[in-house]
């Protein structure tokens, strides 16, 4: 019922007598028909003539094309915007109307306005005929497919070479934590457009970088804001983590990263080493505690009490990794010591439990051995007496 109402309204608003009529364009243009019929435009009565003109009622080649044309590249954004920036035409569909306005503020849009036809326009990202809703998994702008959509230009060395831009953004992204998470279907993972903006594709500056990363990594951002690097680093988070090929965070980052800017005589450098030691020592303690618990579990002990304490220690450790972003040694030491102490306790206790059991087993074995020996001796003695 709702769909019907929307369609009727659409026909009215789009002046869509065309949709009600037969569309003979698709009779001859059979390859385009396949794409078009799958598009979001087909069901709402946006037809060939809305973008091309011409007479859809006839099957005569001349008559059909008398008034038709292929839109010129320089006119396409305005053509799309003639509907998509029009609040009255878009109202029935609940679509935003700011794509064109945002596009004009993007690096793409600015270069386009200056006459550069190489940059992305609406149809490069959405296609001309297979224009699909962003929720449709086959859409060219669906998160998984978007990488390929951007890469068509951004992985092309000839094109990017003209602008002095890197071509490793896509490969880097795929190899990094975010690309892997996206591939595994993690809905919280960012794609190209999450960081660069959908229609406002822009190059990110330090403040934007911290804001963008901080929308998901809230605690890291809060800590980072408190520390001396916030005002000092020109590229915010990516000064240490890279922009696309972001690797899983580990304490060896301290070795590779801090030395890039602080040489080994500086206090900053030695602070880095101390933070690293605190973090990596408590991490090994946690791993050992975990291993001991696994052994105890294999011996059929109930370790649930220990598990919840280990969890507490792990939480402290994760907090410490986050606090590292404020370069706050006192707080970090507090947290790592706590994690370390709990891990040591668990290891010690689980160990003594195991030892106690081992002693019990040894005791039992001795008792049984003694009993069997006594039985054998009695048996032999009786044999000898007979
Ligand atoms: C009788 C068959 C027929 C009908 C009907 C028809 N076309 Fe075509 N159209 C063709 C052929 C053949 C070509 C030229 C070969 C090609 O480019 O595919 C063509 C070319 C085109 C082109 C490319 C023109 C260019 O030179 O860039 C456009 C755009 C086009 N048609 C749109 C339409 C539209 C819109 C309609 C309906 C109003 C339509 N056609 C109806 C057969 C037809
Ligand atoms: C939303 C707007 C829009 C609609 C609807 C649309 N087209 Fe197009 N079409 C374009 C644009 C933009 C281009 C030029 C850019 C390109 O080549 O992709 C184009 C290119 C073409 C071309 C020439 C290039 C080619 O791909 O061979 C033909 C032929 C064509 N369209 C036919 C059709 C037919 C037939 C329909 C209806 C089934 C249709 N178009 C519907 C926007 C549209
Ligand atoms: C650089 C690629 C790119 C360009 C250029 C681009 N878009 Fe988009 N567009 C996207 C992405 C990505 C999405 C959203 C996908 C999502 O939300 O997951 C989107 C979403 C949309 C949507 C639906 C979502 C909404 O905002 O309500 C419309 C309509 C749209 N674009 C129209 C346009 C128009 C019109 C133009 C040209 C002025 C354009 N786009 C240019 C990439 C692009
Ligand atoms: C004649 C008006 C008209 C023109 C011209 C037009 N569109 Fe649309 N478009 C619509 C309407 C109406 C919808 C709503 C479909 C829906 O929500 O079911 C739509 C839907 C879309 C969507 C899907 C939005 C979503 O995520 O649900 C995208 C993307 C889109 N159009 C892009 C374009 C691009 C790119 C162009 C230019 C090549 C274009 N449109 C030209 C009217 C138009
Ligand atoms: C049709 C080719 C094309 C497509 C598709 C395309 N881009 Fe671009 N993009 C360019 C070109 C060319 C430039 C260089 C513009 C300039 O610097 O004047 C550019 C510039 C950029 C910039 C600014 C970099 C800078 O320093 O100027 C960003 C960010 C960007 N694109 C991101 C994206 C994203 C994200 C996507 C996919 C959603 C995408 N692009 C899709 C061609 C494309
Ligand atoms: C997690 C956020 C994030 C994601 C996801 C992301 N980028 Fe970036 N991108 C950045 C940051 C931050 C910079 C700026 C780095 C700098 O200033 O050195 C950047 C820079 C760029 C540049 C400019 C490169 C140059 O040579 O200066 C391009 C082009 C670009 N990204 C394209 C892409 C494409 C294509 C994708 C998808 C495969 C993507 N980005 C995904 C954050 C991201
Ligand atoms: C849209 C949300 C989002 C944005 C924006 C985002 N990330 Fe992430 N990030 C994630 C998710 C989700 C993961 C977890 C991936 C996994 O473990 O599967 C992650 C993982 C990471 C990791 C690895 C953490 C670990 O435990 O090893 C680092 C480092 C990271 N991101 C840094 C950044 C930086 C730097 C930026 C900005 C350039 C950024 N992220 C932007 C969602 C985001
Ligand atoms: C000065 C270098 C540096 C900067 C700048 C930096 N980080 Fe980190 N980050 C690290 C190091 C080193 C680790 C690894 C700590 C460990 O595991 O021992 C890390 C770990 C992480 C982790 C995984 C651990 C956790 O906290 O869950 C995430 C996510 C992360 N950083 C995000 C960010 C974000 C977001 C920003 C910007 C607000 C940022 N980082 C800025 C050096 C940095
Ligand atoms: C991209 C360069 C860069 C990287 C990478 C970097 N720093 Fe810094 N750091 C700076 C700048 C610039 C300042 C502010 C100026 C100053 O005081 O030296 C600063 C300040 C500091 C300060 C406070 C001032 C001081 O000198 O004591 C400490 C501590 C510090 N950094 C530690 C680290 C640690 C630890 C790492 C590695 C996790 C690291 N930095 C990575 C550039 C960097």
């Amino acid at each position: 019922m709702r769909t019907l109402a929307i369609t009727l309204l659409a026909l009215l608003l789009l002046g869509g007598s065309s949709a009600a009529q037969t569309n003979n364009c698709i009779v001859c243009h059979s390859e385009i028909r396949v794409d078009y019929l799958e598009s979001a435009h087909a069901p709402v009565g946006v037809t060939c003539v809305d973008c091309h003109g011409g007479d859809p009622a006839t099957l005569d080649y001349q008559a059909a094309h008398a008034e038709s044309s292929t839109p010129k590249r320089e006119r396409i954004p305005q053509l799309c915007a003639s509907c998509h920036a029009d609040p009255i035409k878009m109202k029935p569909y609940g679509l935003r109307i700011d794509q064109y306005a945002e596009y004009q503020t993007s690096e793409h849009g600015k270069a386009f306005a200056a006459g550069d036809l190489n940059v992305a326009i609406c149809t490069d990202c959405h296609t001309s005929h297979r224009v699909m809703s962003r929720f449709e998994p086959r859409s060219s702008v669906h998160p998984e497919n978007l990488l390929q959509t951007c890469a068509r230009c951004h992985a092309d060395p000839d094109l990017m070479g003209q602008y002095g831009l890197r071509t490793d953004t896509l490969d880097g992204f795929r190899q990094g934590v975010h690309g892997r998470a996206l591939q595994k279907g993690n809905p919280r993972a960012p794609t190209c457009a999450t960081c660069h903006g959908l229609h406002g594709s822009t190059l990110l500056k330090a403040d934007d970088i911290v804001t963008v990363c901080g929308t998901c990594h809230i605690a890291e951002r809060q800590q980072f804001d408190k520390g001396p690097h916030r005002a000092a680093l020109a590229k915010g988070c990516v000064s240490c983590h890279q922009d696309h090929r972001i690797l899983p965070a580990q304490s060896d980052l301290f070795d590779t990263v801090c030395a890039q800017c602080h040489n080994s005589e500086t206090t900053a450098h030695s602070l880095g080493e101390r933070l690293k030691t605190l973090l990596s020592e408590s991490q090994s303690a946690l791993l050992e505690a975990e291993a001991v618990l696994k052994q105890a579990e294999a011996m059929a002990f109930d370790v649930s009490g220990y598990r919840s304490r280990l969890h507490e220690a792990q939480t402290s450790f994760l907090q410490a990794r986050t606090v590292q972003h404020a370069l706050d040694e006192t707080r970090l030491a507090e947290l790592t010591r706590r994690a370390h102490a709990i891990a040591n306790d668990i290891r010690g206790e689980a160990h003594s439990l195991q030892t106690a059991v081992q002693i019990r087993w040894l005791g039992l074995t001795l008792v049984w051995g003694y009993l069997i020996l006594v039985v054998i001796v009695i048996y032999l003695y009786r044999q000898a007496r007979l």
Side-chain angles (χ1 to χ4, degrees):
M1 205 48 221
R2 191 172 157 269
T3 333
L4 185 67
I6 288 182
T7 313
L8 287 175
L9 196 53
L11 294 179
L12 277 173
L13 288 166
L14 298 170
S17 52
S18 56
Q21 287 172 7
T22 41
N23 180 358
N24 281 326
C25 315
I26 59 175
V27 174
C28 297
H29 291 281
S30 52
E31 348 68 84
I32 292 174
R33 178 177 57 205
V34 178
D35 283 348
Y36 170 73
L37 290 179
E38 284 191 324
S39 77
H41 285 147
V44 294
V46 175
T47 69
C48 318
V49 291
D50 286 314
C51 296
H52 291 286
D55 181 359
T58 172
L59 267 172
D60 178 68
Y61 178 86
Q62 296 293 341
H65 297 106
E67 305 270 315
S68 85
S69 63
T70 304
K72 293 225 162 24
R73 193 164 168 86
E74 44 273 54
R75 282 214 49 252
I76 292 175
Q78 277 157 296
L79 168 69
C80 309
S82 69
C83 290
H84 283 284
D86 183 331
I88 296 171
K89 284 182 181 165
M90 284 301 121
K91 196 156 197 266
Y93 310 99
L95 286 177
R96 290 165 53 166
I97 50 160
D98 59 357
Q99 298 94 5
Y100 185 51
E102 278 209 1
Y103 173 72
Q104 287 169 305
T105 67
S106 72
E107 301 293 322
H108 292 144
K110 283 188 273 185
F112 183 75
D116 185 345
L117 298 183
N118 287 332
V119 294
I121 60 170
C122 319
T123 45
D124 291 312
C125 295
H126 292 287
T127 79
S128 299
H129 299 123
R130 207 162 170 271
V131 176
M132 288 179 171
S133 154
R134 61 203 185 282
F135 301 118
E136 163 61 51
R138 294 173 303 154
S139 159
S140 56
V141 296
H142 196 262
E144 250 302 302
N145 309 329
L146 188 66
L147 303 186
Q148 223 32 66
T149 301
C150 306
R152 213 188 78 220
C153 297
H154 282 281
D156 175 350
D158 294 336
L159 181 62
M160 287 300 121
Q162 297 174 33
Y163 301 89
L165 291 177
R166 287 178 289 150
T167 49
D168 62 353
T169 45
L170 181 86
D171 278 349
F173 175 80
R174 284 221 170 105
Q175 288 160 16
V177 278
H178 295 142
R180 284 167 198 263
L182 189 67
Q183 209 191 5
K184 281 195 215 135
N186 185 338
R188 291 176 307 128
T191 87
C192 316
T194 322
C195 294
H196 291 289
L198 302 182
H199 297 104
S201 291
T202 38
L203 194 58
L204 298 161
K205 311 275 180 310
D207 272 356
D208 312 332
I209 294 175
V210 174
T211 312
V212 163
C213 308
T215 53
C216 299
H217 301 289
I218 300 166
E220 286 77 12
R221 186 204 164 157
Q222 282 168 348
Q223 294 299 326
F224 185 68
D225 280 346
K226 290 187 203 160
H229 279 148
R230 180 65 176 92
L233 299 187
K235 293 194 174 179
C237 316
V238 305
S239 305
C240 297
H241 289 291
Q242 305 204 35
D243 41 23
H244 301 106
R245 198 167 162 274
I246 297 175
L247 298 175
Q250 255 141 25
S251 57
D252 57 5
L253 251 182
F254 287 100
D255 304 328
T256 49
V257 142
C258 312
Q260 282 169 19
C261 303
H262 302 288
N263 73 42
S264 53
E265 284 94 58
T266 55
T267 49
H269 189 274
S270 48
L271 176 75
E273 296 203 314
R274 291 200 300 278
L275 299 183
K276 182 196 162 167
T277 311
L278 286 168
L279 283 166
S280 49
E281 280 179 0
S282 65
Q283 188 170 30
S284 345
L286 284 171
L287 289 175
E288 281 170 33
E290 172 83 50
V292 173
L293 280 195
K294 279 230 172 76
Q295 276 174 15
E297 234 164 9
M299 293 167 75
F301 277 114
D302 174 18
V303 296
S304 50
Y306 291 113
R307 281 251 169 259
S308 64
R309 277 168 67 198
L310 184 65
H311 185 73
E312 202 184 316
Q314 277 158 342
T315 309
S316 292
F317 171 72
L318 292 178
Q319 278 172 349
R321 281 170 90 199
T322 307
V323 160
Q324 174 275 135
H325 289 97
L327 299 172
D328 181 346
E329 189 179 14
T330 322
R331 178 87 184 108
L332 186 134
E334 221 172 80
L335 288 161
T336 47
R337 281 204 193 104
R338 203 170 116 79
H340 206 143
I342 300 177
N344 280 350
D345 282 357
I346 293 175
R347 203 175 40 164
E349 286 172 34
H351 230 281
S352 29
L353 253 180
Q354 279 177 31
T355 323
V357 168
Q358 276 158 359
I359 289 172
R360 223 180 297 154
W361 273 103
L362 190 68
L364 270 176
T365 320
L366 286 177
V367 170
W368 275 102
Y370 177 75
L371 285 177
I372 291 167
L373 200 70
V374 169
V375 171
I376 293 172
V377 169
I378 293 172
Y379 176 75
L380 291 177
Y381 179 72
R382 290 183 64 179
Q383 289 284 325
R385 291 271 309 254
L386 288 174

